[in-house]
Amino acid sequence: MRPTLSGRLARLFGRFAVSGLLLAAAGTTALAPPASAAGGLTQVTGFGSNPGNLSMYAYVPAGLPAGAPLVVALHGCTQTADDYYANSGWTKLADTYGFALVFPQTGSANNALSCFTWFDPADSTRGKGEAASIAQMVTKAESLYGSDADRVYVTGLSAGGGMAADLLAAYPDVFAGGSIASGLPAQCATSQIGASGCQYGSLGLTPAQWGDKVRAQFPGYAGPWPRVAIWQGTSDYTVHPVNATELRDQWTDVHGISQTPSSTASLPAGTTLTSYDDASGRPVVQLYQISGMGHGLAVDPGSGAEQCGSTAAYFLDTVCSSYYTATFWGLDRDGGTGPGDGGEQLPAPTGLTAGPATDTTVSLSWSPVQGAASYRVHRGGAQVGTPTGTAFTDTGLAPATTYTYTVAAVAADGTVGTVSSAVTATTTGSAPTCTTATNYAHVTAGRAHTGGGYTYANGSNENMGLYNVFVTHTLKQTSPGHYVLADSGC
């Protein structure tokens, strides 16, 4: 009966395959075998019992010393390890900052569209299937390359993003941080049929209920919990933007912090960065929303320091998400072992002050550090400038918004020094306005629009549920014509 079931599912979901749908047809009827990894990738065998039937590929920069970080990168549906190696930009960052990369690869024997099986507990939970195989790869990489077990991170796109979230929940003792691009909350679905409900709409869970899904994966674990970056295009109709909001709810609850942003920032390509800080002021959850981007991983081809990646199917030319993720994890400053990171660290700059501010800019200044060739300025955990002097003006900011800044000195050999104490600044202008109304009223007033019987916020395209007078939401206007859900507070 399996071929008949597979055929029915293929007919049911086949029309979505070209758009990269995560919910791939089950069964062993396969597409063409995935291309073998090549070019700088090395296949690693004998990494464990491999209950998930995966392949392991690795990229290690020449001369990488022991004690460097490790990043695990998970491809999306219809992709291979080599696709992610060639296009995601992580290889450039590994060379620049000094860390090893592992690229797990699944195939059509596991899933007809070569998707990681994020929706099946037999593959997505601790000690089971694909999740267990990836954990075994981490152990193997630590043994082969001497990777620092305290600085292991996981990132993934689409189905790989869903699996990355599951891994962060199942193995918080293994991964110090994660990045989920166009993906799903951890344990959002526990069956293939249930996966479509996650992709296309909200499950209507509270932050605590989402957090419980994480805590249930490793009962008794008391932390620390991984730092999580969430990347989402506002025009993604394969994995709807509500998933990013629910990921935010899930991981802020796990960290025991509010869903009210600590700061917001504007990045290139219409990207809005919203940070959520812990009690010490350290960003532990960051949400990156890219205006108008569809389903894929954000890349920015070019030779600039903040550019990376290549355009291809599901690698979309907007902003280098891998770069901003790496800086959020601190790979550029507190773990780098790449060229120029072996010298003596300079002390932290003192006297960092913020101001004056306008409605779109913040001016910073600090005392010079002897021996500094340049400085790195970070806003909310993301690098925003590399001035050679002791002043910098941050631009393109939102009015009436509070931002957090730190600065580090960089020596002539490229060694990044100790990070300064943080300062905050608030831009001038009017604060974003919030309106609570029914979905019908939001649409009538021009704050939202409809599609397929559902309501979507203008600008962010966040799913607000059914279009009627019985569903009520709060929308916050963050810029002209751009609204975001703000049910948890304006």
Side-chain angles (χ1 to χ4, degrees):
M1 295 300 292
R2 179 175 293 272
T4 302
L5 175 60
S6 177
R8 289 203 307 269
L9 288 170
R11 287 193 297 272
L12 178 60
F13 299 121
R15 65 188 177 95
F16 296 113
V18 295
S19 66
L21 186 70
L22 299 183
L23 196 75
T28 57
T29 301
L31 302 178
S36 60
L41 284 182
T42 301
Q43 184 168 8
V44 179
T45 58
F47 56 84
S49 60
N50 192 17
N53 189 34
L54 302 180
S55 299
M56 175 181 177
Y57 295 90
Y59 174 77
V60 182
L64 185 72
L70 172 68
V71 174
V72 178
L74 303 172
H75 63 77
C77 296
T78 74
Q79 296 179 334
T80 65
D82 192 45
D83 292 328
Y84 222 65
Y85 161 80
N87 299 306
S88 67
W90 279 107
T91 308
K92 172 184 177 179
L93 300 170
D95 290 336
T96 301
Y97 299 139
F99 54 83
L101 283 164
V102 166
F103 295 90
Q105 179 173 286
T106 187
S108 56
N110 286 10
N111 181 281
L113 295 185
S114 299
C115 306
F116 287 100
T117 317
W118 58 274
F119 49 80
D120 187 348
D123 277 304
S124 64
T125 55
R126 188 177 181 93
K128 301 287 185 65
E130 294 175 356
S133 290
I134 295 168
Q136 290 175 354
M137 294 181 196
V138 170
T139 300
K140 182 70 172 182
E142 291 172 350
S143 173
L144 287 176
Y145 316 126
S147 303
D148 184 349
D150 291 328
R151 290 183 292 162
V152 179
Y153 306 87
V154 62
T155 181
L157 164 65
S158 194
M163 180 60 76
D166 289 335
L167 287 165
L168 294 173
Y171 293 97
D173 53 332
V174 172
F175 298 103
S179 178
I180 303 154
S182 300
L184 297 305
Q187 296 300 314
C188 184
T190 56
S191 70
Q192 183 166 316
I193 298 301
S196 61
C198 295
Q199 288 178 235
Y200 297 127
S202 172
L203 296 191
L205 302 183
T206 66
Q209 289 172 320
W210 280 118
D212 286 344
K213 286 181 174 289
V214 171
R215 289 181 284 268
Q217 295 307 299
F218 193 5
Y221 181 74
W225 292 100
R227 304 175 73 204
V228 180
I230 304 155
W231 289 86
Q232 182 71 48
T234 63
S235 296
D236 188 341
Y237 303 112
T238 299
V239 177
H240 281 215
V242 69
N243 285 280
T245 304
E246 292 175 339
L247 275 161
R248 183 277 312 271
D249 289 350
Q250 182 171 66
W251 289 100
T252 51
D253 181 78
V254 167
H255 278 279
I257 60 178
S258 170
Q259 286 75 54
T260 300
S262 302
S263 65
T264 60
S266 297
L267 302 182
T271 304
T272 299
L273 164 60
T274 309
S275 292
Y276 302 84
D277 300 351
D278 63 13
S280 69
R282 177 175 180 250
V284 290
V285 177
Q286 290 196 326
L287 172 59
Y288 299 79
Q289 295 168 298
I290 306 172
S291 180
M293 192 184 85
H295 187 66
L297 183 74
V299 298
D300 184 14
S303 59
E306 299 179 11
Q307 293 181 291
C308 72
S310 303
T311 56
Y314 308 118
F315 295 96
L316 307 180
D317 188 356
T318 49
V319 62
C320 178
S321 59
S322 300
Y323 165 79
Y324 285 99
T325 295
T327 59
F328 169 56
W329 289 340
L331 297 180
D332 64 324
R333 59 189 186 276
D334 62 4
T337 52
D341 285 324
E344 182 178 356
Q345 276 197 338
L346 296 174
T350 59
L352 176 61
T353 57
T358 69
D359 59 344
T360 60
T361 67
V362 169
S363 296
L364 303 167
S365 62
W366 55 91
S367 300
V369 174
Q370 186 174 1
S374 63
Y375 298 87
R376 290 188 181 180
V377 180
H378 283 77
R379 180 210 311 138
Q383 184 174 306
V384 293
T386 55
T388 56
T390 58
F392 175 77
T393 298
D394 194 17
T395 61
L397 306 178
T401 304
T402 299
Y403 297 94
T404 302
Y405 294 93
T406 58
V407 178
V410 182
D413 66 355
T415 302
V416 182
T418 305
V419 178
S420 72
S421 299
V423 297
T424 60
T426 301
T427 50
T428 60
S430 300
T433 59
C434 285
T435 304
T436 301
T438 67
N439 282 354
Y440 176 83
H442 281 308
V443 172
T444 301
R447 294 183 289 269
H449 60 280
T450 63
Y454 286 87
T455 307
Y456 301 91
N458 287 345
S460 70
N461 281 325
E462 291 181 286
N463 190 326
M464 299 165 59
L466 293 173
Y467 173 52
N468 57 41
V469 297
F470 303 106
V471 179
T472 298
H473 284 293
T474 299
L475 289 182
K476 178 168 67 175
Q477 183 177 10
T478 58
S479 61
H482 192 280
Y483 297 85
V484 297
L485 280 169
D487 293 337
S488 59
C490 182

